[in-house]
Amino acid sequence: MLTGAASPRGIGRATADRLAGDGWAIAILDLDAEAARTAAAEIGAAHGTRAVGVGVDVSDQGSVDAAVNEVEAALPPILGLANLAGISSPTDFMAETVAGWDRVFAVYMRGTFLVTQRVLDGMIERRLGRIVSVSSISAQRGGGTYSKVAYSASKAAILGFTRALACEMGPHNITVNAVAPGPIDTDIMGGTLTEERKAQLSVEVLVPRVGTPAEVAALIAFLLGPDAGYITAATYDINGGLRAS
Ligand SMILES: NC(=O)c1ccc[n+]([C@@H]2O[C@H](COP(=O)([O-])OP(=O)(O)OC[C@H]3O[C@@H](n4cnc5c(N)ncnc54)[C@H](O)[C@@H]3O)[C@@H](O)[C@H]2O)c1
């Protein structure tokens, strides 16, 4: 199950495609219900796998509960969850408002909490599960993409969430990990990136380009897959070396 996987050029959609190719049944939960259903139909047709698309606001408990109920009724038990739902937040700190700050934390932190807690019930019962949440280099470096302080702070919260939850879930044979991408060629940073913006974003990247959604998808698919059972509480950097530069 993936949240935030409906936008056609996004990391979530690329991950859904990748996982479907690996034989997973796919559930796409997204604020854009129509796009979630379209993505699921396309993935089902392309890979011959079962796929459902459901509308959700990850920051709303009732909405999360209803969406996961729908997934559980339609598909086999949920083995893996990728928390990808997200918004950008390019507001300078001194212009930030309480409403803006709270919305970013509601989507990233409350959303990750609500969706993860909702699916963990079944995973604990079955003694098998994989959780992967998307943080950002912005949490580690204080920037490197487009968004500002609220985004960096909420993405840093994802890292603490991941490590602490991994401690509680290890005994249940459930792994909990994070990935921290550098700039990736999606539409979240204020629209599709021009060649000029890609060049600006890659100035300090050791591999001098922005990353692709498919590259992040491959990492998430590995962490959700059968070979990653001894990896937990980890943060995987995927940033072309930006953090080191
Ligand atoms: N693109 C990058 O450079 C980059 C870098 C680091 C981390 N990330 C993270 O990767 C994740 C995916 O981003 P992306 O770049 O693919 O962007 P994207 O805009 O393509 O995908 C984000 C998706 O989240 C959905 N969404 C937004 N609010 C939601 C809500 N309340 N409930 C459910 N769904 C909601 C959107 O509809 C959209 O489909 C985000 O968490 C983002 O912060 C992206």
Side-chain angles (χ1 to χ4, degrees), residues 11 14-15 18 22 212-224 238:
I11 297 168
T15 308
R18 168 83 195 213
D22 291 347
T212 67
E215 287 170 326
V216 184
L219 175 59
I220 296 173
F222 167 69
L223 290 171
L224 289 174
I238 176 159

Side-chain angles (χ1 to χ4, degrees), residues 18-233:
R18 168 83 195 213
L19 291 168
D22 291 347
W24 290 75
I26 301 293
I28 291 177
L29 273 60
D30 200 283
L31 194 58
D32 188 338
E34 177 80 41
R37 285 190 285 272
T38 303
E42 288 173 0
I43 286 166
H47 300 281
T49 189
R50 287 158 81 183
V52 295
V54 184
V56 75
D57 179 349
V58 294
S59 69
D60 181 277
Q61 187 165 26
S63 174
V64 168
D65 208 32
V68 179
N69 283 345
E70 218 175 307
V71 173
E72 287 176 337
L75 295 179
I78 299 167
L79 288 181
L81 166 67
N83 288 303
L84 291 131
I87 53 174
S88 58
S89 173
T91 310
D92 286 333
F93 184 69
M94 294 311 289
E96 188 58 274
T97 60
V98 170
W101 183 271
D102 284 352
R103 186 62 195 151
V104 173
F105 272 79
V107 172
Y108 286 120
M109 208 51 267
R110 194 194 315 149
T112 300
F113 156 60
L114 288 174
V115 178
T116 304
Q117 191 186 53
R118 177 62 184 78
V119 303
L120 272 173
D121 249 348
M123 290 179 178
I124 290 169
E125 204 179 294
R126 293 184 293 276
R127 291 194 53 76
L128 182 61
R130 300 257 194 279
I131 312 285
V132 177
S133 303
V134 180
S135 178
S136 168
I137 190 161
S138 179
Q140 301 158 318
R141 205 177 181 243
T145 54
Y146 165 72
S147 292
K148 300 259 165 65
V149 178
Y151 179 85
S152 292
S154 66
K155 288 298 196 182
I158 298 278
L159 300 182
F161 171 91
T162 295
R163 292 188 196 115
L165 185 61
C167 295
E168 285 195 35
M169 290 302 135
H172 299 290
N173 194 36
I174 295 166
T175 64
V176 189
N177 292 294
V179 301
I184 307 298
D185 186 11
T186 75
D187 295 342
I188 199 172
M189 291 182 274
T192 301
L193 297 173
T194 60
E195 290 306 316
E196 195 187 344
R197 282 194 72 207
K198 285 187 207 173
Q200 282 164 3
L201 285 163
S202 346
V203 166
E204 293 181 276
V205 179
L206 302 185
V207 177
R209 60 174 176 81
V210 295
T212 67
E215 287 170 326
V216 184
L219 175 59
I220 296 173
F222 167 69
L223 290 171
L224 289 174
D227 295 331
Y230 201 54
I231 300 173
T232 197

